[in-house]
Amino acid sequence: MRYYISIFFLFLWSLFNAQTLVPYRDKNVWGYSDESGNVKITPKYDSVALFDSKYNNENYRFAKVLSNGKYGLIDEKGGILFNTTYKDINIDSDKYSLFIIVQNENGKFGVYDFNKSFIPEEFDKIEYIRNYSFLVKKNQKIGVYNNLGHMVIPVEYKQINYIDGDSKEVKWMVSNEKETKYIITPAAKTSDRSMQAIYEDGGIYMSGTTKTSDAAAIEKLKSKYYLSKCDNYYKEKCIYRQNNKYGFYDFELNKKTRPEYESLKILKPYRDQTYLLATKNGKNLLIDELGNSLIPVDFQEIEDRYNTLTFTKDNRKGFYFIDTQKYVEPKYQLLSWNQTLYQSGPVRNFELIPVYTDNPKDWFYIGSNGLIFKAK
């Protein structure tokens, strides 16, 4: 029994201490550091993407990089999986396998796994379609490959339509100048390239808060206060009013702020925590359910986006990361929310926000651990 307990805690320790490789900027080139900012892959690329972490086979952890206008793939040690010689590389997966669609210097498309090419680089276009298959085009003719790399419909048709299918076979309608007919192909099968995801959703939830579980007791307690507003979902979390001032009370968790605010708004409620936007003495504050101030500066506005609170002071952005409770002072400009990166994990998530100080071309990432991933 002691052996199994040790293995379990070793597993938990590995989850909590697993490091994400983070895109790291040094002047005009990019590489990777760990979450603490220690460089792991020397910056030398024009741009880099996050390492894929959806699969448990270490041979399939990779990142897309760009050098001299050409794309390639590298592994977590910086080793080359695909040379940076491609016009484009797109990575996708189905429930059976992961695949890489490439476009070479001559504009031709092909499909790879990490062992071999299973659709050669000779097609004018390749598109992922139904039945975990690939529609290929060459010399104005189209055909179909399956997910094992076998041609199941020859490249000699003008039109191919999926009709229906089951677990055993799939029916297509094909046509060209000579004929229109039906073709039956086998349904997609698991290959030796198949991989299983480590996780799909969820994580470890830990809670140790003392709660008032009696609904009648909660309602009796609420009746003693003049309630201004309660949260629509967490109805036990309420703003109350006393002597023309506002306070907050979580009647289930018995957590309360004093009624000392000119205004108070529930900004982000959680089961065991609540974040509130308050005004006191004419200043805006971000506080928790006990009245603790979380941002040490006055700010003009605040935006709630997922697990990040972005606030503005003197036209500069700062951040408060809810997952890590880290504060980043307001001295940045936001490049674009569309370039925000998320690394999901079974225990925690890691967020990277693209920012710059003066020149948008000199942008870099700030992590949800509060660190700046840029060389000094």
Side-chain angles (χ1 to χ4, degrees):
M1 177 63 71
R2 185 175 300 174
Y3 170 78
Y4 289 110
I5 292 175
S6 299
I7 293 295
F8 173 73
F9 280 104
L10 181 62
F11 169 72
L12 285 182
W13 180 90
S14 66
L15 286 179
F16 277 98
N17 289 277
Q19 287 285 300
T20 299
L21 285 179
V22 178
Y24 181 91
R25 182 166 188 164
D26 187 350
K27 297 179 181 177
N28 292 323
V29 291
W30 292 81
Y32 294 88
S33 72
D34 60 22
E35 292 179 18
S36 299
N38 302 308
V39 174
K40 296 299 182 181
I41 298 177
T42 303
K44 61 180 179 180
Y45 297 104
D46 299 331
S47 70
V48 297
L50 274 181
F51 275 86
D52 182 273
S53 63
K54 293 184 292 185
Y55 301 97
N56 62 3
N57 188 327
E58 290 299 316
N59 294 326
Y60 290 87
R61 291 182 61 85
F62 56 88
K64 184 177 177 179
V65 297
L66 177 70
S67 180
N68 297 320
K70 301 294 177 65
Y71 291 97
L73 293 179
I74 63 172
D75 63 26
E76 291 178 296
K77 295 182 179 180
I80 303 297
L81 298 175
F82 284 75
N83 289 320
T84 50
T85 58
Y86 291 97
K87 284 187 176 181
D88 199 10
I89 295 179
N90 290 300
I91 304 103
D92 210 336
S93 62
D94 55 36
K95 70 178 182 179
Y96 296 125
S97 56
L98 179 145
F99 50 83
I100 300 161
I101 301 177
V102 302
Q103 183 183 21
N104 64 25
E105 294 176 286
N106 298 319
K108 298 299 183 181
F109 290 83
V111 182
Y112 287 80
D113 63 12
F114 285 98
N115 298 318
K116 64 181 186 305
S117 166
F118 69 95
I119 299 180
E121 294 178 27
E122 61 182 51
F123 294 99
D124 302 323
K125 186 177 180 181
I126 295 180
E127 181 182 352
Y128 186 58
I129 59 171
R130 299 286 293 270
N131 190 43
Y132 311 106
S133 303
F134 299 90
L135 183 72
V136 299
K137 182 177 182 180
K138 185 176 182 180
N139 299 327
Q140 302 302 314
K141 302 288 187 178
I142 58 176
V144 174
Y145 277 76
N146 67 13
N147 67 325
L148 299 179
H150 301 145
M151 183 183 292
V152 293
I153 299 179
V155 186
E156 57 185 46
Y157 296 99
K158 286 288 187 179
Q159 188 172 357
I160 298 176
N161 293 315
Y162 174 90
I163 303 301
D164 58 32
D166 54 30
S167 61
K168 294 182 179 180
E169 60 184 26
V170 175
K171 184 178 183 181
W172 312 81
M173 185 173 71
V174 303
S175 63
N176 56 22
E177 298 85 350
K178 297 180 180 180
E179 61 181 348
T180 296
K181 64 179 182 179
Y182 293 108
I183 291 180
I184 305 298
T185 66
K189 301 294 184 182
T190 305
S191 73
D192 57 4
R193 301 184 297 110
S194 177
M195 296 165 291
Q196 182 177 354
I198 298 176
Y199 55 88
E200 294 181 358
D201 191 12
I204 297 176
Y205 175 77
M206 300 180 181
S207 173
T209 307
T210 301
K211 300 181 179 182
T212 302
S213 57
D214 188 343
I218 291 177
E219 291 304 315
K220 183 178 180 179
L221 186 59
K222 289 170 69 174
S223 67
K224 297 180 180 180
Y225 289 83
Y226 179 77
L227 301 181
S228 173
K229 182 177 177 59
C230 296
D231 185 74
N232 292 329
Y233 183 77
Y234 295 104
K235 298 185 182 300
E236 70 281 359
K237 300 177 184 290
C238 301
I239 305 295
Y240 70 94
R241 185 176 179 180
Q242 182 177 323
N243 299 325
N244 292 321
K245 298 285 186 179
Y246 295 91
F248 171 78
Y249 205 149
D250 187 322
F251 291 95
E252 183 180 18
L253 300 180
N254 294 317
K255 292 183 177 181
K256 179 181 178 182
T257 70
R258 294 178 180 179
E260 57 185 12
Y261 304 101
E262 289 101 53
S263 66
L264 195 59
K265 176 183 177 182
I266 298 175
L267 186 63
K268 203 167 184 68
Y270 284 98
R271 185 172 301 171
D272 289 347
Q273 286 183 306
T274 304
Y275 296 87
L276 303 114
L277 177 61
T279 304
K280 184 178 180 181
N281 299 325
K283 295 184 178 181
N284 292 322
L285 303 171
L286 177 67
I287 63 173
D288 65 14
E289 67 277 1
L290 297 177
N292 299 311
S293 180
L294 304 176
I295 296 178
V297 296
D298 183 24
F299 53 88
Q300 283 79 51
E301 60 183 37
I302 192 165
E303 178 186 1
D304 171 21
R305 185 178 175 88
Y306 303 115
N307 289 327
T308 301
L309 299 175
T310 304
F311 58 94
T312 304
K313 179 178 174 61
D314 300 329
N315 294 318
R316 294 282 174 169
K317 302 291 186 183
F319 306 95
Y320 183 82
F321 296 98
I322 290 176
D323 283 346
T324 58
Q325 299 182 352
K326 294 292 185 179
Y327 156 79
V328 176
E329 59 185 314
K331 59 180 184 180
Y332 303 100
Q333 300 288 356
L334 179 67
L335 183 67
S336 171
W337 280 118
N338 293 332
Q339 292 181 246
T340 301
L341 300 178
Y342 300 91
Q343 185 74 32
S344 298
V347 174
R348 60 179 177 175
N349 298 325
F350 192 71
E351 183 177 5
L352 293 163
I353 296 179
V355 299
Y356 64 94
T357 50
D358 297 309
N359 188 345
K361 293 182 179 180
D362 297 329
W363 67 278
F364 52 92
Y365 286 110
I366 289 179
S368 53
N369 56 1
L371 294 184
I372 296 171
F373 294 95
K374 179 184 178 183
K376 296 181 180 179

